Amino acid sequence: MNGAKHLVLVGMMGAGKSSVGRMLARQMGRPLLDSDEMVEERTGRTVRAIWASDGEATFRALETETLIAALSADEPSVVAAAGGVVMSEANRAALATSDAHVVWLLADVDLLVERVKNGMHRPLLDADPEGTLRAMHRDREALYKEVADAIVSVDHRSVHDVAKAVLRCAG
Ligand code: S3P
């Protein structure tokens, strides 16, 4: 895969990083490192509970810790990075300097709005999910682009087809 060790999926909440990541991990015979799940495993608490009791800054620090841990894993892995990882310059630098192939799963915001309706780990979307997603997309678009080695559109594609497209551009 381009000689890179890890395959990292980035993109907005609802873009399908976890479900596409799960399929790719199975197809490639690799472990899936899902950063929200890693945060929950490490702390024994849910993303929502951390957010509610300790606030966003604590969550973001844990997010950075798990991203670095995932990128440092010895075994070539598929990494489903949390949507917010690109917000931190340190995280972007870690992605740029790591031996990873980074793919941005790009989705139309209307699709994201439909998909995020039952996301328990997304406290940012509790109020006005659509407005929040539109603003986030505007704020983050250039950052996803900055870290991406490749961009795959997920619109009108099944998980299977997105996984296939990711493999094609990573190959
Ligand atoms: C967030 C994305 C979520 C989760 C948290 C914040 C974000 O992960 O980490 O709710 O800021 O984009 P997913 O992208 O896996 O939904």
Side-chain angles (χ1 to χ4, degrees), residues 13 17 36 51 59-60 63 82-84 121-124 140:
M13 294 185 251
K17 303 178 296 288
D36 287 328
W51 205 284
F59 174 75
R60 295 298 178 197
E63 185 177 69
H121 67 290
R122 293 164 177 155
L124 280 172
R140 294 180 178 180

